[in-house]
Amino acid sequence: MMPAHFAMLMLLLLCCTINIRCSKAPENATDMVSLLGFEEAITSDPLGVLSTWNTSIHICRWEGVKCSRTHPGRVTALDLAGQGLTGRIASSLGNLTFLRELNLSSNSLSGQSPRLGRLGRLRVLDLSENYLQGTISGAAPTNCSGLRELDLSRNFLIGEIPLEVSLLSNLWLLRLSFNNLTRTIPPTIGNITCIKYIALSYNQLTGSIPDELGKLSNLSRLILGGNNLSGDIWPQSLLNTTSLQFLGLEKNRLGKVLPLNIGDTLPNLVYLSLYENLFGGPIPVSLGNASVLQRIDLSSNSFSGQVPRSIGYLSELFHLNLEGNNIQTSDIQSWEFIYALANCSLLQWVSLDQNQLHGAMPHATRNMSLALQELYLDGSKLSGLVKLGLSDNNLTGTVEWIVNMENLQGVNLHVGSIRCSMATGNSTDMLSVLDFKKHIIEDPKGAWAGVTCSRKHPGRVIGLDLTDRSLTGTISSSLGNLTLLKELNLSLNSFSGELPRLNHLNTLRVLDLMRNSLHGIIPDWVTNCSGLRKLDLSRNSFVGKIPIKLGLLSNLSVLRLYKNSLTGTIPPVLGTITGLKDLSLDYNHLEGSIPGELGKLSGLIALLGHIPASLGNASALELIDLSSNNFSGLVPSLFGKLSSLSELDLQGNNFEANDNNSWEFLHALGNCTELAMLFLGNNQLEGVIPSSIGNLSTTLQALGLATNQLTGLVPPSIGNLRALIAYHLSLENFGSSGSWTLVTIICKASYLK
């Protein structure tokens, strides 16, 4: 049996010796064959980034490919980040022995990452934001001692962090965040002396922070939040990492008190995030000596005592969150930090909600930063103040001075003994949006340009579109108060937690939460939005059954629930949504058959899932993707009824064909005059390809038959497919005549010109 890559190499050599119009083979055919092997494993290329990948174009001009200047034809970089690619990462990439950078981040690649240990020259490996599974050992090339950047974050990797990672002695960036990693942090990471960036956040790591990390004199970012780490915040040695700038330890079970000298020993801290832990005791006065601190979040702990006045020394501070502690104020002296904060000219956000605040608020608030936008405490004449939150305290006295705040748009008092003389008007929507913003942990792109208000109803929000803003946090239930909201789009972010109850969104038309980290069940309140036209909850971690009440959403045209963990059967009632055009349910754990009722959806143009018995009635259907399932038997001839069909993907199943009758579907598909792509690879198709393949639509551009049990010669009738530009067929069971015929076909089809 001839290996596939060797067979492709033989084809290249034949193309250069026989009398057909084929270009010269590249200087190194191994790299080209390796890339073509990668392309073959890609099942979807929505942006057409791989359209340049054919031998009529020099390999070094292929999209995303960079070559060596000193070694012609050798690939040194492959960068296809953010191209929407779907499929698997082929093991053939391990043959690109000159590769220095491999970046396939922000795609939809799945399966286990191939072993890349032969890439001894590799310096950068970025496979983040995909759907890779398996262990770190399978995805990290620990033999590549020259590796400097390893980013496998935002995948579905499991298991422990292997000790072998410490062999990557030149590594300066290690990002494994947002996976499902378990066990402890290997102390051997402390041996990577040049490492600067460690991000292991939002996994399921346990144990304590290793003392060995204190040896890392170059460490600038340590991001470990969202795990189950316990014990002291630091080994004492970690206080020696004077280069540390970003420290994220939020959402763990770390406890005791902060080192009193933290600000002295870590003078370069810019970001300190310790919220939702078990810390108590006083806030260290020495924090004021970390002069470049910009963001402090110590919320949801048990800190007590007073806020140190030294916080006012932080001239670059813009965010201070101390809410949810036991901080106390009882007299003028305990409010001195307010006077000190007047020195923080860049301060934008302050919260002391849910503490033990008592007494009259000082008038010093009128001297605070002109940049201040949100103050969850008290204030005076504050230019630029947007929201004032004073709820759930024991404050006394009057706040009649609020009327001097010219830019104040909303006030949330909700306390018993404060007298307010200001008429605030209707600020419900603004307060709801600001409360939502309060739940945002990270907003690196400055997302707050996505709010659309009504022209007829001033100040009422009708649209909130924050798609692809790299936001991290939870979705606040306060959005349910936006009673005129028509569109809520939070897709392509990193929101986590369950979808809260948003009961009053009766006017909602679009709800798009695609590609976040939401979990739990699909809540019933969604089914109350009777005017909903688009519901996209895909690429999350929703569980449970598809709610039967979704059938009540009679105005739906788009329903996308793919790539979750939904179980049970598909509700037949979905077939009653007569306007449904896009239904995506694939990559879940659904069972049973798709009910025949879906065949009633005559306007359906995209179906991804199983085969309904009445599918042939969906005359507008354009795309069918049933790949990577366990379908068996004959390929249904009913596909031939779908006159609008342009793409049919059945690869990766157990469909059979072993005689002329079982190939009847090819004759039926001849009626699909718009068919451009037909993929039948990796099934149980046997015997000789019938000549009826030449009766397929002349618009056919891609045909995949690889990894079957085909024998004999390729029928000459395939030459009728004049639009064919990509043809994939295994050569193992073909004789020499078949191979020669295939060379002619491939060259004619522009796959090898």
Side-chain angles (χ1 to χ4, degrees):
M1 183 175 292
M2 185 182 297
H5 292 158
F6 180 74
M8 183 62 74
L9 181 59
M10 291 299 296
L11 288 177
L12 290 171
L13 297 176
L14 284 171
C15 273
C16 298
T17 58
I18 61 179
N19 188 23
I20 43 182
R21 298 181 62 185
C22 294
S23 65
K24 180 183 177 181
E27 291 84 349
N28 189 292
T30 301
D31 283 11
M32 188 190 71
V33 171
S34 299
L35 292 178
L36 290 176
F38 169 77
E39 181 195 22
E40 187 172 0
I42 300 300
T43 58
S44 177
D45 176 20
L47 302 180
V49 66
L50 302 180
S51 61
T52 60
W53 285 36
N54 63 74
T55 55
S56 65
I57 302 174
H58 194 281
I59 182 176
C60 298
R61 295 199 298 270
W62 289 5
E63 186 72 26
V65 176
K66 292 183 180 179
C67 292
S68 170
R69 294 182 179 180
T70 56
H71 298 83
R74 300 311 304 267
V75 176
T76 58
L78 178 60
D79 186 352
L80 295 173
Q83 300 299 328
L85 300 176
T86 299
R88 295 177 180 268
I89 302 176
S91 58
S92 62
L93 291 185
N95 298 323
L96 301 174
T97 54
F98 275 71
L99 199 65
R100 297 176 64 87
E101 177 179 351
L102 177 58
N103 189 345
L104 302 176
S105 62
S106 301
N107 284 291
S108 297
L109 302 171
S110 58
Q112 295 191 0
S113 177
R115 295 189 179 276
L116 303 173
R118 294 183 58 195
L119 305 182
R121 293 179 172 87
L122 198 63
R123 297 295 180 265
V124 176
L125 176 61
D126 190 348
L127 304 179
S128 62
E129 296 193 48
N130 280 287
Y131 295 93
L132 300 178
Q133 302 167 349
T135 64
I136 294 290
S137 297
T142 53
N143 294 332
C144 303
S145 59
L147 198 66
R148 296 173 183 170
E149 299 180 32
L150 175 59
D151 192 344
L152 303 176
S153 61
R154 298 184 184 276
N155 280 285
F156 293 92
L157 300 174
I158 60 174
E160 58 186 317
I161 302 172
L163 298 176
E164 291 80 5
V165 169
S166 62
L167 299 177
L168 303 174
S169 56
N170 291 293
L171 202 66
W172 72 267
L173 181 145
L174 175 64
R175 293 184 63 187
L176 305 177
S177 300
F178 292 95
N179 280 286
N180 295 306
L181 303 177
T182 54
R183 305 293 294 273
T184 60
I185 300 173
T188 54
I189 291 180
N191 296 332
I192 312 176
T193 55
C194 60
I195 199 165
K196 297 181 179 180
Y197 192 132
I198 299 176
L200 309 177
S201 57
Y202 294 90
N203 282 285
Q204 301 172 35
L205 301 174
T206 57
S208 59
I209 301 173
D211 187 75
E212 286 77 3
L213 297 187
K215 302 176 183 178
L216 303 175
S217 58
N218 295 309
L219 190 64
S220 63
R221 296 191 179 210
L222 182 61
I223 312 297
L224 304 177
N227 284 291
N228 291 306
L229 301 175
S230 57
D232 293 346
I233 175 177
W234 279 293
Q236 191 64 26
S237 64
L238 198 59
L239 293 176
N240 299 327
T241 54
T242 57
S243 58
L244 201 62
Q245 297 178 347
F246 288 77
L247 180 61
L249 301 176
E250 74 279 357
K251 290 191 174 183
N252 280 290
R253 294 185 293 114
L254 299 167
K256 294 189 177 181
V257 298
L258 294 182
L260 295 179
N261 61 342
I262 180 176
D264 299 322
T265 58
L266 302 176
N268 294 305
L269 271 183
V270 174
Y271 177 97
L272 178 62
S273 178
L274 305 178
Y275 67 88
E276 292 188 31
N277 274 288
L278 304 175
F279 293 115
I283 298 173
V285 175
S286 66
L287 273 181
N289 297 330
S291 59
V292 293
L293 260 175
Q294 298 178 11
R295 185 184 180 107
I296 301 175
D297 194 337
L298 308 180
S299 61
S300 299
N301 281 283
S302 297
F303 288 106
S304 58
Q306 302 174 6
V307 179
R309 182 184 177 89
S310 61
I311 297 294
Y313 301 156
L314 303 176
S315 59
E316 298 187 29
L317 188 67
F318 72 86
H319 182 104
L320 177 63
N321 191 353
L322 304 177
E323 66 184 36
N325 284 287
N326 295 313
I327 296 170
Q328 300 175 356
T329 60
S330 57
D331 52 27
I332 294 178
Q333 184 176 2
S334 60
W335 283 98
E336 282 189 349
F337 71 93
I338 288 291
Y339 295 87
L341 287 178
N343 299 321
C344 302
S345 59
L346 302 179
L347 196 59
Q348 299 180 20
W349 200 97
V350 178
S351 179
L352 268 156
D353 278 358
Q354 303 175 46
N355 278 284
Q356 303 298 319
L357 306 180
H358 301 274
M361 293 176 292
H363 288 277
T365 49
R366 69 176 69 239
N367 298 321
M368 292 179 70
S369 168
L370 297 177
L372 195 65
Q373 297 181 5
E374 299 181 40
L375 173 61
Y376 294 84
L377 169 65
D378 69 329
S380 186
K381 190 174 183 179
L382 304 178
S383 299
L385 189 63
V386 175
K387 179 178 179 180
L388 174 63
L390 301 172
S391 59
D392 298 317
N393 283 293
N394 294 309
L395 301 172
T396 60
T398 64
V399 288
E400 295 175 352
W401 40 265
I402 288 180
V403 296
N404 296 324
M405 300 180 191
E406 298 177 357
N407 294 312
L408 186 64
Q409 299 176 21
V411 180
N412 181 14
L413 297 176
H414 195 59
V415 290
S417 57
I418 288 185
R419 301 187 303 277
C420 180
S421 61
M422 177 184 179
T424 60
N426 189 336
S427 58
T428 301
D429 283 14
M430 182 206 66
L431 295 179
S432 298
V433 173
L434 288 175
D435 184 77
F436 167 69
K437 181 180 179 182
K438 184 179 175 182
H439 287 71
I440 304 300
I441 300 171
E442 294 184 15
D443 177 20
K445 297 184 179 181
W448 300 101
V451 178
T452 302
C453 291
S454 171
R455 295 182 180 180
K456 295 182 180 180
H457 306 280
R460 301 304 304 275
V461 176
I462 61 173
L464 184 58
D465 185 355
L466 300 175
T467 182
D468 196 15
R469 298 283 185 163
S470 300
L471 300 175
T472 299
T474 58
I475 299 176
S476 169
S477 60
S478 64
L479 293 183
N481 299 323
L482 303 176
T483 55
L484 295 185
L485 194 66
K486 294 183 178 180
E487 177 180 355
L488 177 58
N489 191 340
L490 305 177
S491 61
L492 301 172
N493 286 294
S494 299
F495 287 104
S496 57
E498 296 186 359
L499 186 57
R501 183 170 293 278
L502 306 177
N503 281 334
H504 305 299
L505 303 184
N506 298 327
T507 61
L508 200 62
R509 298 292 181 267
V510 174
L511 177 60
D512 191 344
L513 305 177
M514 184 267 289
R515 214 190 80 177
N516 281 282
S517 299
L518 301 171
H519 62 264
I521 63 172
I522 299 175
D524 283 343
W525 66 262
V526 172
T527 63
N528 297 329
C529 303
S530 58
L532 205 60
R533 296 171 184 171
K534 177 181 179 180
L535 175 60
D536 192 342
L537 304 179
S538 58
R539 294 188 177 185
N540 283 282
S541 298
F542 287 108
V543 298
K545 297 181 178 180
I546 300 175
I548 296 177
K549 289 185 178 180
L550 286 181
L552 300 176
L553 301 177
S554 57
N555 293 296
L556 267 186
S557 62
V558 176
L559 175 59
R560 297 173 181 165
L561 305 177
Y562 66 91
K563 290 193 176 179
N564 281 286
S565 297
L566 301 174
T567 56
T569 59
I570 299 175
V573 70
L574 295 183
T576 65
I577 309 176
T578 56
L580 197 60
K581 295 183 177 181
D582 187 334
L583 176 61
S584 303
L585 305 176
D586 56 328
Y587 292 96
N588 281 288
H589 303 298
L590 302 174
E591 57 188 6
S593 60
I594 283 189
E597 284 81 355
L598 293 191
K600 300 176 183 178
L601 304 177
S602 60
L604 198 67
I605 62 173
L607 171 66
L608 297 94
H610 299 269
I611 305 177
S614 56
L615 185 62
N617 298 328
S619 57
L621 200 62
E622 297 178 1
L623 166 65
I624 300 178
D625 186 344
L626 305 176
S627 61
S628 301
N629 281 288
N630 290 304
F631 294 115
S632 58
L634 304 181
V635 177
S637 295
L638 61 85
F639 295 129
K641 299 179 181 180
L642 307 177
S643 58
S644 299
L645 191 65
S646 64
E647 179 176 344
L648 176 60
D649 191 346
L650 304 180
Q651 61 185 326
N653 285 286
N654 294 308
F655 286 114
E656 301 174 1
N658 48 35
D659 54 30
N660 288 336
N661 290 333
S662 57
W663 284 95
E664 182 63 26
F665 70 92
L666 281 180
H667 177 75
L669 287 176
N671 299 321
C672 302
T673 57
E674 303 296 325
L675 190 63
M677 298 184 183
L678 175 60
F679 301 112
L680 301 170
N682 197 15
N683 278 286
Q684 302 297 323
L685 307 181
E686 300 179 6
V688 179
I689 301 174
S691 60
S692 58
I693 198 168
N695 296 327
L696 293 174
S697 171
T698 56
T699 62
L700 194 69
Q701 299 180 16
L703 175 62
L705 293 170
T707 319
N708 281 289
Q709 305 297 321
L710 301 174
T711 59
L713 302 178
V714 179
S717 62
I718 202 171
N720 298 335
L721 307 178
R722 302 183 182 279
L724 200 64
I725 59 174
Y727 185 93
H728 299 269
L729 176 61
S730 300
L731 300 177
E732 286 87 345
N733 299 322
F734 285 86
S736 59
S737 298
S739 297
W740 280 82
T741 304
L742 182 59
V743 171
T744 306
I745 294 169
I746 289 177
C747 290
K748 176 180 179 181
S750 301
Y751 193 68
L752 296 173
K753 286 188 176 179

